[in-house]
Amino acid sequence: MINVIEIPTQLENLSPEAILELFKAKGIDKEWSFAESRPSDTGKWTHGYHRYPAKFIPQLVERLAVEYVSGREVHINDPFMGCGTTIVTAISKSFFASGTDINKIAFLITKVKSTPIEPIYLDKKIQLLLSKLSFLDTSSVPLFGVIEPLIPAKHLEKINYWFTAANKTELGLILQAIHGEDDKDLRDFFLVAFSHILKNCSIWLQGSTKPTRDLKKPPVKPYAIFKRHLKKMQRGNEVFFNIVPVEIRQSLSTRLNIKNGDAKQQPVEDSSVDLIVTSSPYVTSYEYADLHQLSTLWLDLFDNLSEYRQEFIGTAHKKYHDKHTQSAIAQNIVSQMSLVSRKMASEIDAYFIDMQAVFNESYRILKNGGRCCYVIGNTQLKGVEILNAEVFVESLQQSGFLIDRIIKREIPSKILPQTRDDKTGRFASANKASRDAYPIEYIVIGLKE
């Protein structure tokens, strides 16, 4: 039997005090941990196309869909698509899928992962691309003269900072060949494979979520790993292609509505969505603009990194001077943090202001009887408890939702750093950290009546 919080009076808003008490009494729901899921299960289909931090597993989305929706005219939305777990799951079930992500690399990954390509056609295109680059298999053939390397000139200084001269040239040759593909779906497929290999081919400190160089790291040669990853993606695509019904593949544009954009502005009409399943960013945890910097440099996706950073929710680069969070629980967190770090306090305030706007948008797009499922964990920064889940409950109520259910789950399979250093508030290796960062997380479910 699933252990869930019993909401005392669902039709009445819970007070901040009642919310805090509910979370203190909450036990872990073992059935939602999916501890039995193997990497081959969580990385099935197209889910292994690209590395991505803090991605949740498809089994979680599938379980929520089974519990809350049925039929083929279901519409599922994800305002923080990330690497597309919710969107891919929706398409696999023949649902309508919509969503956004401000991260341009995330949007590209989601678009490619949710677009099945006819396997024979894909195989021919892969073979053609690799044949153009076959001279990279041997060092005896000159690199120049066959294809000229494509290296974004305006980002050359930063690319030189992260890549050896040899790898920079080889990557430029691969990128030029990719851009010779006329079919946009195929070109995007190849670009995702290209993006995935960049960290391995650079001197970026492997495993680091911060832009850190490892001058002792031997970068992997690009062509061999690119070819290997293309084959892995090809296998995933074939399985996904055979799962998605023919009529859905043939009318994908009518089923898939995703945008590179703000979570506070979904590309759907009022009261049109049945279920929202999303894992929102955490306050000051990841700087996604920095984390995917290598990809955005090579694919030339921004002009000004500083301006690009400020578009993200949860970034340390955003502050509001004319408004504050309306959540009493959040206000208390901000007050505690202001005694330690006024800068971080303003960042936390901005995060909860943004999330309230996202909850308002969720309420707008959901049908009556629809639910939003927000996956979020609590953490600690500089000794202050950041009760994200509790704030989400209060804020969802302020947006008009009834709190239908709260699930507490262990996250043995979630791909993210598990430890923090209390003094710095930063992620740290296990031997240097003082405690777990995200040992558990919550699924906060709001109901629109």
Side-chain angles (χ1 to χ4, degrees):
M1 182 175 179
I2 298 173
N3 175 24
V4 299
I5 287 182
E6 295 297 330
I7 305 300
T9 309
Q10 193 180 60
L11 297 180
E12 296 179 3
N13 278 353
L14 299 166
S15 68
E17 295 75 18
I19 292 169
L20 294 172
E21 288 302 315
L22 280 171
F23 276 86
K24 286 180 182 177
K26 183 70 183 87
I28 291 174
D29 306 317
K30 292 288 186 181
E31 293 185 33
W32 285 85
S33 296
F34 305 102
E36 73 285 355
S37 296
R38 300 167 297 176
S40 58
D41 299 321
T42 58
K44 64 183 180 179
W45 309 340
T46 61
H47 292 298
Y49 275 15
H50 200 288
R51 61 167 55 87
Y52 205 89
K55 63 181 180 180
F56 58 8
I57 58 178
Q59 286 72 21
L60 189 152
V61 185
E62 292 165 359
R63 175 76 174 271
L64 289 168
V66 167
E67 297 220 357
Y68 293 120
V69 293
S70 62
R72 298 187 64 174
E73 298 305 305
V74 168
H75 184 164
I76 294 185
N77 172 270
D78 185 348
F80 299 101
M81 296 186 303
C83 63
T85 303
T86 294
I87 304 300
V88 170
T89 300
I91 294 299
S92 76
K93 293 181 174 294
S94 304
F95 297 158
F96 293 93
S98 65
T100 55
D101 206 292
I102 200 69
N103 184 346
K104 294 179 180 180
I105 289 297
F107 168 72
L108 177 66
I109 296 168
T110 296
K111 187 252 184 189
V112 170
K113 284 176 61 175
S114 55
T115 304
I117 302 172
E118 200 285 315
I120 295 176
Y121 175 63
L122 177 61
D123 184 65
K124 289 179 180 178
K125 288 290 189 175
I126 289 175
Q127 296 309 316
L128 180 60
L129 177 69
L130 294 179
S131 69
K132 291 179 180 178
L133 295 166
S134 60
F135 64 90
L136 292 173
D137 267 331
T138 172
S139 58
S140 62
V141 179
L143 293 180
F144 295 99
V146 181
I147 304 174
E148 289 297 322
L150 174 59
I151 304 168
K154 67 182 177 184
H155 302 308
L156 185 58
E157 183 178 351
K158 284 186 170 64
I159 288 173
N160 286 339
Y161 181 82
W162 290 109
F163 296 88
T164 64
N167 272 10
K168 178 184 68 175
T169 299
E170 192 165 320
L171 286 166
L173 292 165
I174 294 171
L175 187 60
Q176 185 71 274
I178 289 172
H179 278 278
E181 173 54 60
D182 293 329
D183 185 323
K184 191 175 189 308
D185 286 342
L186 266 296
R187 187 165 66 249
D188 287 345
F189 183 92
F190 296 148
L191 287 174
V192 165
F194 179 85
S195 173
H196 174 81
I197 70 169
L198 289 173
K199 184 174 285 188
N200 296 78
C201 299
S202 73
I203 58 170
W204 186 296
L205 178 63
Q206 208 68 23
S208 174
T209 58
K210 303 292 181 182
T212 307
R213 293 201 300 175
D214 178 1
L215 298 178
K216 296 181 180 179
K217 174 185 173 183
V220 176
K221 295 292 289 179
Y223 179 67
I225 189 174
F226 177 70
K227 182 165 62 173
R228 186 164 64 248
H229 192 61
L230 268 183
K231 295 296 185 181
K232 177 182 178 180
M233 289 175 63
Q234 183 178 10
R235 292 191 295 271
N237 171 77
E238 183 170 4
V239 178
F240 185 54
F241 181 88
N242 290 326
I243 284 172
V244 178
V246 175
E247 63 271 23
I248 303 302
R249 298 198 306 260
Q250 292 176 343
S251 60
L252 189 63
S253 62
T254 67
R255 291 271 166 175
L256 185 63
N257 181 14
I258 59 175
K259 305 292 182 185
N260 170 220
D262 193 335
K264 300 188 289 290
Q265 298 175 343
Q266 291 305 296
V268 297
E269 297 178 356
D270 295 357
S271 305
S272 61
V273 171
D274 297 281
L275 181 67
I276 295 170
V277 181
T278 192
S279 179
S280 64
Y282 289 54
V283 59
T284 70
S285 288
Y286 291 109
E287 292 292 349
Y288 284 95
D290 288 332
L291 184 63
H292 294 125
Q293 184 182 137
L294 301 182
S295 298
T296 51
L297 288 171
W298 273 100
L299 303 189
D300 194 17
L301 296 179
F302 66 77
D303 292 317
N304 185 299
L305 180 58
S306 178
E307 292 177 1
Y308 184 51
R309 284 187 184 120
Q310 293 176 30
E311 298 177 16
F312 288 69
I313 290 176
T315 178
H317 301 274
K318 181 184 289 188
K319 300 176 182 62
Y320 292 111
H321 301 289
D322 57 344
K323 53 186 175 180
H324 299 283
T325 176
Q326 298 303 302
S327 160
I329 299 173
Q331 288 171 3
N332 184 53
I333 295 168
V334 171
S335 295
Q336 290 181 57
M337 183 58 74
S338 65
L339 301 176
V340 182
S341 169
R342 297 180 70 176
K343 177 179 180 296
M344 189 166 283
S346 65
E347 294 164 5
I348 294 170
D349 198 25
Y351 169 74
F352 287 126
I353 291 169
D354 282 338
M355 287 307 304
Q356 184 71 69
V358 176
F359 298 147
N360 292 344
E361 181 71 349
S362 292
Y363 192 85
R364 177 188 75 80
I365 67 175
L366 274 173
K367 298 175 182 176
N368 290 339
R371 289 174 173 82
C372 63
C373 306
Y374 277 86
V375 181
I376 189 69
N378 292 344
T379 188
Q380 189 182 87
L381 295 173
K382 295 184 178 296
V384 177
E385 295 293 333
I386 311 299
L387 305 178
N388 294 309
E390 286 89 330
V391 174
F392 277 27
V393 168
E394 184 181 9
S395 297
L396 282 167
Q397 290 184 150
Q398 291 173 340
S399 293
F401 287 101
L402 303 176
I403 302 305
D404 186 55
R405 188 176 181 184
I406 301 169
I407 301 168
K408 182 179 180 180
R409 65 180 295 267
E410 293 172 314
I411 45 177
S413 301
K414 195 161 185 179
I415 302 171
L416 47 71
Q418 293 293 312
T419 47
R420 271 195 196 275
D421 182 277
D422 279 336
K423 293 181 180 179
T424 64
R426 303 300 181 190
F427 292 123
S429 58
N431 63 323
K432 295 181 179 179
S434 53
R435 59 178 189 79
D436 287 344
Y438 303 113
I440 57 96
E441 68 185 1
Y442 298 90
I443 308 172
V444 177
I445 303 175
L447 171 66
K448 178 178 176 179
E449 281 219 323

